[in-house]
Amino acid sequence: MTDRLLRGGLAACSALLLCLAPVPGRLTPLVAPVGAVGTTFPVSEIRRGQVGEGVTRMDDGERVTFKAHVLGVLDGVIGPKRQVILARLEGAGLEHTGVIAGMSGSPVYIDGRLVGAVAYSMGQFAKAPIAGITPIAEMVDATAATASQAPRTVSTLPLDTPLTADALRDAFLASIPGRGGVTLSPMALQGLGLDAVSSPVLRPIATPLSMGGFSGTIGAWLSDTLGTAGFAPVSAGSAVGRAAADPAPLQAGDAVGVSLVSGDLSLGATGTVTSVDGARVLAFGHPFFNLGPAQLPMTRARVVAVIPSLLNSIKLAQLGDVMGVMDQDRATAIAGTLGVTPRTIPMTVAMRANGSASRQFTFEVAEDQLFSPLIVFAAVANVLQSYQREVGASTIRLKGSADIGASTLRLDNVFGGDSAVTMAAASLAAPLSAVLRSDLGTPHIGRIALDVDTDERQRSTRLDRAWIAEPRPHAGDTVTLMVETRNFRSAPQMHRLRLPIPATATGPLQVQIIDGATLAQLEGRRRSLEQARSVVELVQLLNKARRGDRWYVRLTRSAAGSVINGHDLPALPGSVMQILGATPGVVTTTLDHDVLGEWELPADAVATGQRTLTLSPLAP
């Protein structure tokens, strides 16, 4: 009865049937649909001593087979009511390499019926290639979900977070669960006929992450960040990653990729296909990242070489043509659909380094709440780092935009100092993180266009002095603000700004001259992203970000009030403030001043410094 139900539930699965070939030690795959009755091998029929036959790709994409000697079935070892078939692999050089990172998803058959996918390895420095096989029934069951993609609740960066690589890395790692293994008890090991000095750990086989075009400190930073998240980064050339015709149909045992960025940079995970049934593909046998519903480009991949290692042998693979979309990422498998166009973020960067001719870079970044901000940061920082010195102060000016649905996010700013590269890249990643990770519907990122000018000089200007020319102004008058600034190693400059005083102004007034970076930190503490009630409001709030190449002049007076959903409402009656504070969906923070007017003093470099002047206008 159980077998009949299992067979009926596997009508949407496909695989290869393997038969003996005349070449000694080799098996020739024979394509056959798994949807037919009897093409899967249920766990209930697994017995110790059975020998399965597996298929995968090795050096230069060669299709090879191996044997899987069944040691037993582990119940509940990776989760309640989850099963893993433990087997010792033999052939295809596995006796020397051990279980190889990139084998995840390699199908295993017994008597021509699909058992499941090689997905787990047993510890490190093992003397035998012991692997865990995920049963095909669990792969099909986990990826059969048809629920639409729902927003995931993940960490984001507050507006007052310093723009640093470490801040982005911490936000990314805070959003993911720990990836542990399962230590087998000595009794379990004895029951399987295994002997070990210390209990080995059953872990998902490391997922190779092919990195092309990333280098220097940003490449090392990205490798370390994603390595901490459970991937195995490996150098590989960048691939075009565009949808292109390939006459060979995808089949079980082939290499497959999940792309995070393509174009002038390439980054993506690689593994092995377990089964293909029409347009439906199952692979890996364990999660890519356990994202649930997803929309990441699924690509072909070609294994260039197998790099043997005592610690962790790995397949060096290169991503190829886009074939469809990985739409399910679950605990026991990933699944995708062939022929579907993935949703990506087209991105262009035009860079002029130190007055040289403009260089154009193009990317296609996978749109995902978790990965997109990290990848955009790494891509921009990597481009800057490749053509800009890493040691010493520099100045970087950005000008660009990003389409957010019907709104446009402005990306204009300037950064200077020793950390200009990372601050500039993070200034783009931080607002994208806020948009993608919000709970305000399902905002989609359109084209990102960025112009970058770099200068290997410290271009900064500081505020030295400020004063009001009129000593005794009246309410309703216009006063002249005098500001003296000084560029780096240059003569001082004088600025004049006319400030109208409202006729109703009473009491002492403050004239505040403050640089954009400092003002952004002050406002970030009271302008939370939670104050936005729609994507449009969120983009408007992000567009209020202060720029680093100017001073902001504000005429203020003391007045108790509130910031309601991002809007200043000074001098509110206490009763109104209490009502608004208790209203669902209304986010309030306290306000201790009323801004009567605001002006800007642009600078040709990074502006620094602040001054506050006090005015006591006379009655008109």
Side-chain angles (χ1 to χ4, degrees), residues 288-347:
F288 161 72
F289 222 68
N290 211 357
L291 299 172
Q295 289 288 313
L296 300 180
M298 185 173 62
T299 76
R300 291 184 181 275
R302 185 178 72 86
V303 179
V304 177
V306 173
I307 311 300
S309 169
L310 293 175
L311 178 64
N312 187 28
S313 297
I314 192 170
K315 290 184 181 182
L316 193 158
Q318 191 172 35
L319 299 181
D321 305 328
V322 174
M323 298 181 299
V325 171
M326 184 201 81
D327 48 33
Q328 288 290 335
D329 178 20
R330 300 293 177 176
T332 58
I334 67 169
T337 304
L338 300 175
V340 177
T341 301
R343 189 171 60 242
T344 58
I345 303 172
M347 180 176 173

Side-chain angles (χ1 to χ4, degrees), residues 212-213 237-242 259 261-267 347 361-365:
S238 61
V240 176
R242 307 291 185 182
S259 175
V261 63
S262 61
D264 289 324
L265 292 170
S266 179
L267 179 69
M347 180 176 173
F361 303 90
T362 60
F363 314 102
E364 292 284 341
V365 180

Side-chain angles (χ1 to χ4, degrees), residues 204-383:
I205 300 172
T207 303
L209 197 69
S210 298
M211 301 176 61
F214 292 95
S215 60
T217 56
I218 293 299
W221 173 87
L222 184 61
S223 176
D224 178 66
T225 299
L226 295 174
T228 302
F231 293 103
V234 59
S235 297
S238 61
V240 176
R242 307 291 185 182
D246 190 325
L250 190 70
Q251 54 183 324
D254 286 352
V256 67
V258 178
S259 175
L260 295 177
V261 63
S262 61
D264 289 324
L265 292 170
S266 179
L267 179 69
T270 57
T272 305
V273 175
T274 305
S275 69
V276 181
D277 179 24
R280 200 65 181 156
V281 178
L282 292 178
F284 281 28
H286 60 64
F288 161 72
F289 222 68
N290 211 357
L291 299 172
Q295 289 288 313
L296 300 180
M298 185 173 62
T299 76
R300 291 184 181 275
R302 185 178 72 86
V303 179
V304 177
V306 173
I307 311 300
S309 169
L310 293 175
L311 178 64
N312 187 28
S313 297
I314 192 170
K315 290 184 181 182
L316 193 158
Q318 191 172 35
L319 299 181
D321 305 328
V322 174
M323 298 181 299
V325 171
M326 184 201 81
D327 48 33
Q328 288 290 335
D329 178 20
R330 300 293 177 176
T332 58
I334 67 169
T337 304
L338 300 175
V340 177
T341 301
R343 189 171 60 242
T344 58
I345 303 172
M347 180 176 173
T348 60
V349 178
M351 177 181 176
R352 287 169 294 277
N354 305 304
S356 63
S358 178
R359 293 180 173 88
Q360 301 289 327
F361 303 90
T362 60
F363 314 102
E364 292 284 341
V365 180
E367 185 181 273
D368 182 79
Q369 296 166 317
L370 184 62
F371 285 101
S372 295
L374 188 80
I375 302 306
V376 166
F377 166 80
V380 174
N382 193 73
V383 166

Side-chain angles (χ1 to χ4, degrees), residues 278-532:
R280 200 65 181 156
V281 178
L282 292 178
F284 281 28
H286 60 64
F288 161 72
F289 222 68
N290 211 357
L291 299 172
Q295 289 288 313
L296 300 180
M298 185 173 62
T299 76
R300 291 184 181 275
R302 185 178 72 86
V303 179
V304 177
V306 173
I307 311 300
S309 169
L310 293 175
L311 178 64
N312 187 28
S313 297
I314 192 170
K315 290 184 181 182
L316 193 158
Q318 191 172 35
L319 299 181
D321 305 328
V322 174
M323 298 181 299
V325 171
M326 184 201 81
D327 48 33
Q328 288 290 335
D329 178 20
R330 300 293 177 176
T332 58
I334 67 169
T337 304
L338 300 175
V340 177
T341 301
R343 189 171 60 242
T344 58
I345 303 172
M347 180 176 173
T348 60
V349 178
M351 177 181 176
R352 287 169 294 277
N354 305 304
S356 63
S358 178
R359 293 180 173 88
Q360 301 289 327
F361 303 90
T362 60
F363 314 102
E364 292 284 341
V365 180
E367 185 181 273
D368 182 79
Q369 296 166 317
L370 184 62
F371 285 101
S372 295
L374 188 80
I375 302 306
V376 166
F377 166 80
V380 174
N382 193 73
V383 166
L384 294 176
Q385 185 187 73
S386 298
Y387 295 91
Q388 184 75 12
R389 70 183 183 189
E390 296 184 47
V391 178
S394 60
T395 304
I396 297 176
R397 184 178 295 275
L398 304 181
K399 184 177 179 59
S401 62
D403 297 332
I404 313 292
S407 302
T408 300
L409 177 67
R410 296 194 301 270
L411 303 169
D412 302 341
N413 216 330
V414 62
F415 302 91
D418 294 339
S419 303
V421 168
T422 55
M423 288 192 299
S427 73
L428 174 57
L432 291 181
S433 170
V435 171
L436 286 169
R437 301 180 182 197
S438 73
D439 58 356
L440 303 173
T442 55
H444 297 308
I445 310 296
R447 178 172 297 277
I448 299 174
L450 198 64
D451 287 310
V452 184
D453 283 285
T454 70
D455 192 338
E456 290 183 347
R457 292 176 293 176
Q458 174 67 55
R459 297 184 61 85
S460 62
T461 179
R462 73 173 187 265
L463 173 62
D464 276 354
R465 295 193 302 152
W467 67 94
I468 299 294
E470 293 78 10
R472 299 292 300 247
H474 290 76
D477 288 352
T478 297
V479 299
T480 303
L481 173 66
M482 306 294 295
V483 177
E484 182 179 287
T485 63
R486 186 185 297 273
N487 286 356
F488 183 66
R489 294 178 179 174
S490 299
Q493 293 178 309
M494 292 298 301
H495 308 267
R496 291 175 173 84
L497 189 64
R498 301 284 286 170
L499 309 181
I501 300 175
T504 58
T506 59
L509 306 180
Q510 289 79 40
V511 178
Q512 184 183 44
I513 309 102
I514 184 170
D515 64 82
T518 303
L519 182 57
Q521 292 183 3
L522 294 175
E523 290 185 322
R525 296 190 182 102
R526 63 183 179 86
R527 293 190 184 274
S528 168
L529 296 180
E530 296 177 356
Q531 294 169 335

Side-chain angles (χ1 to χ4, degrees), residues 84-253:
V84 171
I85 302 165
L86 208 63
R88 177 176 55 82
L89 307 185
E90 178 188 5
L94 295 173
E95 297 89 344
H96 306 290
T97 62
V99 180
I100 304 171
M103 285 188 68
S104 300
S106 299
V108 173
Y109 307 84
I110 293 178
D111 297 334
R113 292 188 288 166
L114 180 59
V115 176
V118 174
Y120 295 86
S121 59
M122 183 68 76
Q124 294 175 328
F125 305 107
K127 292 184 178 180
I130 306 298
I133 298 171
T134 300
I136 184 60
E138 295 193 11
M139 296 176 65
V140 172
D141 178 69
T143 58
T146 58
S148 60
Q149 184 175 9
R152 296 188 295 272
T153 302
V154 291
S155 298
T156 189
L157 293 174
L159 291 181
D160 61 343
T161 298
L163 297 181
T164 66
D166 288 342
L168 279 168
R169 180 179 187 270
D170 292 344
F172 172 77
L173 293 177
S175 305
I176 61 177
R179 286 193 164 190
V182 178
T183 303
L184 299 185
S185 67
M187 183 175 296
L189 292 171
Q190 185 178 5
L192 294 169
L194 300 177
D195 189 14
V197 175
S198 62
S199 300
V201 175
L202 190 68
R203 295 182 182 276
I205 300 172
T207 303
L209 197 69
S210 298
M211 301 176 61
F214 292 95
S215 60
T217 56
I218 293 299
W221 173 87
L222 184 61
S223 176
D224 178 66
T225 299
L226 295 174
T228 302
F231 293 103
V234 59
S235 297
S238 61
V240 176
R242 307 291 185 182
D246 190 325
L250 190 70
Q251 54 183 324

